[in-house]
Amino acid sequence: MYNYRTHVLLCYGGACISSGAESVKDALKKEIKEVGLQNEIEVITTGCMGICELGPVMIIYPEGVFYQKVNSGDAKEIVREHLLKGRVVKRLFYKKAETKEMVEMIKNIDFFKLQRKIALRNCGVINPLNIEEYIAADGYMAIGKVLTEMTPQQVIEEVKKSGLRGRGGAGFPTGLKWQFTAASKGDRKYVLCNADEGDPGAFMDRSILEGDPHSIIEAMMICGYAIGSRQGYIYIRAEYPLAIERLSIAIKQARENKLLGKNILDTGFNFDIEIRMGAGAFVCGEETALMRSIEGKRGQPRPRPPYPAQKGVFECPTVLNNVETYANIPYIILKGGDDFASVGTEKSKGTKVFALAGDISNNGLIEVPIGMSLRTIIYDIGGGVPNNKKLRAVQIGGPSGGCIPTQYLDVPIDYESLKDLGAIMGSGGLIAMNEDTCMVDIARYFMEFIQEESCGKCTPCREGTKIMLEILNRICEGKGKMEDLDTLEELSTVIKDTALCALGQTAPNPILSTLRYFKDEYIEHIKDKKCRAGVCKSLMKYEINPEKCVGCGACARKCPVNAITGEKKHAHIIDQEKCIKCGLCYSTCKFAAITKG
Amino acid sequence: MTSICNEKELTDEQKYKQLKEFINKNKDKEGYLIQVLHEAQSIFGYLPVEVQKFIAKEMNLSVSRITGVVTFYSYFKTNPTGRHTIAICLGTACYVRGAKKVLEELEEKLRIGIGQTTKDGRFSINDQRCLGACGLAPVIMIDGDVYGRMTAEKLNKILEQYK
């Protein structure tokens, strides 16, 4: 054991690994050894630091210097200049999006400064593959406190006091869920963790499992103690191999340290956890479908009641929470429910993790107090929309959510306000869309998604979404009628009221919210046969401006269907009958002579 | 957990033996069918009817029960796939940042569509709902390796690495 003078924290989240973090680590270690500093400097690989756009990223402590877009070639300079001689490498500093001003310290970067981390408290701070680092960060202290100082009812009261609500969708109070399950009679009860993060654009659960897997294990143990359960299952998507690997390692380490298994911490408490992999079905994020899937069956939902608190997996009383919800639990136990409840709004307590994606400068993962405005999130933390484009809308809540237009950017967001705006908190996927986005196409995209993922059990979802998709396809092809808009609204209401599970009941949301805020775009598609964003191909036309065309013939050579003709050094023309609107001519022309619209 | 691909080709007999061992090792676990199917697919590459029948026999379940589960989940394949599987993410973030273009380029280049395999058995294309790598959108994943910020131009270079 060495007393290291400097720690290099290198982000080993999924995105940074894809950007080359592994080769950076190897290069750093090699250089450090070459200059003989291996006993003074330690390189620690951590979970996601959140700012995925700039990966691979690293922080050097104790100074707190932040480097971005590091590649293996930079390792030599970092080691020989910064670590050996104490001269920071300025060219790798973070640059402010608007002013290009360089920022050296992590504490001065807005992206990090405005956040409040509870669920992500250890992500990007500790090495997730080392249980000792988790323990050093107060890990497994909460389960110790619970087992030795608290009764199950006291645990439930503390969670209730915190005001924590489910972070996966509807926002049901977590403490109440535990209370109901604890009150159910039964020899066998189960603790489930929903890690089937299906909403496209959401990746907080993956990052928590990859960056701090032990916190989920500990939270499930606490829940197990509170409700009287001996067995937990984590249901995780097969699409997340890295998260599965790290979680498996964490469970193994917990067993080796006798934190899972029999007679935990000599208190007589028994608990173990098993991983169950999903197999690519979005509907399995719905609680009753998820339980079927854990049982090894087709993941089709069933009507409730009975609720899982009475009859869940294997017909036994069951608690199901999602990953982010669990990640808050150890903090609540150690710091107290009141501390947690001091953050957030009146009805929505604590913080929320959001995944920033789409047309936004700082793509990545953030955690902020609930009640922050979208403007602060998109512009101050997210760095705004890149390439001088304008923001069009923010999609929040995935396929069950909605598109919020820019006039509502200042609304403090919590469970209630989002619902009023026609969206939902959902899992917290937040996708910025710039002016090049066609809102009708987005509604069509989500309906296509839902249609593909509908399990087919109930008619409103199976048939209703199909008809809605057909209508939207028609509108995008310029064949829509004005009556279609009324039909869409009517179908939406019926499906909302009659579908069996949450997947179907919320499926119309993307359509309803775009109809509410962007009806003029629908009308443009129908009446003017025009897509202002230039996304809907059937409504698009490529034309050559004869004044700008120099007759070089580059476009004609590229055109896959020979739709472009013309003599050399004379203006060319596009045969609209033949044109398949692939856009190759548009991207080939060096003289900006081709217009699209 | 399960290995993504087998380094050296096993005989059918060895494959069935491997699967049987996995089933026996976990036979006390309740509702383990989907995990068994994952293992079987990683051994055989896909889940033909013979394998489904074998699992039914070993686990004492009806073949229809197995087929019902296999066909419900998009992850399970009943046809052979290529040596390399290209998963293209069509999640919202990737969609907004041009995944459709990448897919068109891919389909054009390999002359196959989603769910199909090239004639030489080199590549299959799958669509994915979201790979959770939205920060790097648009994203493709080949045999478990994620490639971010994809463009039509980058595609050629990347495909070259997979023979």
Side-chain angles (χ1 to χ4, degrees), chain A residues 153-180:
Chain A
Q153 191 53 40
Q154 282 173 324
V155 175
I156 291 172
E157 290 306 325
E158 205 60 49
V159 176
K160 272 173 134 174
K161 212 188 325 169
S162 74
L164 177 65
R165 296 169 64 173
R167 298 293 192 240
F172 191 81
T174 307
L176 274 184
K177 212 182 230 185
W178 291 20
Q179 175 86 67
F180 293 150

Side-chain angles (χ1 to χ4, degrees), chain A residues 568-588:
Chain A
K568 231 180 176 168
K569 294 191 178 165
H570 287 88
H572 283 46
I573 44 166
I574 301 175
D575 183 345
Q576 297 298 335
E577 296 280 301
K578 280 188 183 170
C579 175
I580 54 164
K581 288 142 187 168
C582 68
L584 264 179
C585 55
Y586 181 79
S587 54
T588 304

Side-chain angles (χ1 to χ4, degrees), chain A residues 264-407:
Chain A
I264 294 166
L265 301 176
D266 273 332
T267 57
F269 175 60
N270 305 327
F271 195 76
D272 210 339
I273 292 175
E274 198 188 294
I275 296 176
R276 288 280 161 107
M277 255 197 284
F282 177 70
V283 69
C284 288
E286 195 276 341
E287 60 179 13
T288 58
L290 183 147
M291 291 173 196
R292 288 278 166 94
S293 188
I294 286 185
E295 292 167 1
K297 298 175 184 156
R298 290 164 71 92
Q300 286 182 314
R302 62 156 176 79
R304 297 173 304 180
Y307 287 93
Q310 283 89 42
K311 242 183 192 183
V313 73
F314 304 118
E315 306 283 301
C316 299
T318 302
V319 161
L320 171 70
N321 290 129
N322 101 318
V323 174
E324 188 191 335
T325 314
Y326 279 128
N328 288 301
I329 296 291
Y331 177 94
I332 289 169
I333 297 295
L334 285 181
K335 299 279 164 87
D338 289 331
D339 178 281
F340 187 84
S342 68
V343 185
T345 63
E346 196 198 334
K347 286 183 177 166
S348 311
K349 302 296 184 194
T351 56
K352 178 77 192 82
V353 181
F354 291 104
L356 303 184
D359 301 314
I360 190 162
S361 294
N362 297 336
N363 261 288
L365 207 62
I366 61 159
E367 181 173 358
V368 296
I370 295 181
M372 192 179 260
S373 74
L374 275 176
R375 189 180 300 282
T376 311
I377 292 176
I378 301 280
Y379 288 97
D380 299 337
I381 299 178
V385 182
N387 307 325
N388 293 321
K389 299 267 181 181
K390 279 200 203 84
L391 184 70
R392 194 80 210 288
V394 179
Q395 209 284 340
I396 178 162
S400 310
C403 294
I404 298 175
T406 47
Q407 65 260 38

Side-chain angles (χ1 to χ4, degrees), chain A residues 306-573:
Chain A
Y307 287 93
Q310 283 89 42
K311 242 183 192 183
V313 73
F314 304 118
E315 306 283 301
C316 299
T318 302
V319 161
L320 171 70
N321 290 129
N322 101 318
V323 174
E324 188 191 335
T325 314
Y326 279 128
N328 288 301
I329 296 291
Y331 177 94
I332 289 169
I333 297 295
L334 285 181
K335 299 279 164 87
D338 289 331
D339 178 281
F340 187 84
S342 68
V343 185
T345 63
E346 196 198 334
K347 286 183 177 166
S348 311
K349 302 296 184 194
T351 56
K352 178 77 192 82
V353 181
F354 291 104
L356 303 184
D359 301 314
I360 190 162
S361 294
N362 297 336
N363 261 288
L365 207 62
I366 61 159
E367 181 173 358
V368 296
I370 295 181
M372 192 179 260
S373 74
L374 275 176
R375 189 180 300 282
T376 311
I377 292 176
I378 301 280
Y379 288 97
D380 299 337
I381 299 178
V385 182
N387 307 325
N388 293 321
K389 299 267 181 181
K390 279 200 203 84
L391 184 70
R392 194 80 210 288
V394 179
Q395 209 284 340
I396 178 162
S400 310
C403 294
I404 298 175
T406 47
Q407 65 260 38
Y408 296 106
L409 283 184
D410 291 310
V411 175
I413 46 177
D414 63 13
Y415 288 91
E416 278 72 29
S417 65
L418 281 173
K419 216 173 159 189
D420 292 342
L421 290 173
I424 60 161
M425 182 76 88
S427 52
L430 213 153
I431 293 162
M433 296 171 175
N434 71 16
E435 52 198 318
D436 295 337
T437 317
C438 167
M439 301 316 288
V440 184
D441 180 64
I442 287 297
R444 193 197 57 78
Y445 164 84
F446 280 116
M447 206 33 66
E448 198 171 26
F449 180 96
I450 291 292
Q451 173 53 196
E452 206 163 282
E453 295 297 339
S454 171
C455 80
K457 186 169 173 175
C458 75
T459 320
C461 178
R462 184 185 65 234
E463 302 297 331
T465 59
K466 190 168 168 56
I467 292 167
M468 290 213 285
L469 176 61
E470 279 168 14
I471 295 175
L472 288 168
N473 275 333
R474 236 177 20 231
I475 296 176
C476 288
E477 284 165 12
K479 296 174 192 156
K481 296 186 284 273
M482 282 306 283
E483 308 85 277
D484 285 342
L485 299 184
D486 299 329
T487 317
L488 279 179
E489 257 176 87
E490 197 188 329
L491 277 170
S492 296
T493 322
V494 174
I495 295 171
K496 244 184 154 160
D497 290 343
T498 55
L500 172 63
C501 79
L503 174 91
Q505 286 156 12
T506 57
N509 282 352
I511 293 185
L512 286 174
S513 75
T514 46
L515 269 178
R516 178 167 156 193
Y517 299 120
F518 303 97
K519 202 165 191 169
D520 50 333
E521 271 190 55
Y522 280 87
I523 295 173
E524 270 175 22
H525 278 70
I526 296 171
K527 282 196 171 162
D528 310 337
K529 313 284 174 212
K530 195 179 149 210
C531 172
R532 66 169 90 160
V535 172
C536 296
K537 270 194 176 173
S538 312
L539 303 179
M540 216 160 55
K541 213 169 151 188
Y542 286 96
E543 279 174 316
I544 296 175
N545 180 346
E547 277 163 27
K548 283 192 179 171
C549 178
V550 298
C552 70
C555 57
R557 284 193 295 277
K558 276 270 166 114
C559 179
V561 290
N562 298 321
I564 304 178
T565 49
E567 274 178 54
K568 231 180 176 168
K569 294 191 178 165
H570 287 88
H572 283 46
I573 44 166

Side-chain angles (χ1 to χ4, degrees), chain A residues 18 53 188 206 237 239 276-280 293-299 358 363 431 441 444-445 453, chain B residues 29-32 34-35 38 65 68 72-75 90-92 95-97 128-130 132 134 146 149:
Chain A
S18 299
E53 178 78 24
R188 286 199 301 167
R206 175 179 67 80
R237 306 177 67 195
E239 288 90 336
R276 288 280 161 107
M277 255 197 284
S293 188
I294 286 185
E295 292 167 1
K297 298 175 184 156
R298 290 164 71 92
N363 261 288
I431 293 162
D441 180 64
R444 193 197 57 78
Y445 164 84
E453 295 297 339
Chain B
K29 290 186 181 157
E30 221 170 338
Y32 214 62
I34 291 173
Q35 316 308 309
H38 272 297
R65 168 80 206 283
F72 184 83
Y73 295 96
S74 64
Y75 213 80
L90 295 179
T92 324
Y95 188 78
V96 175
R97 297 226 298 205
Q128 296 272 328
R129 292 171 290 127
C130 180
C134 312
V146 176
R149 300 187 187 101

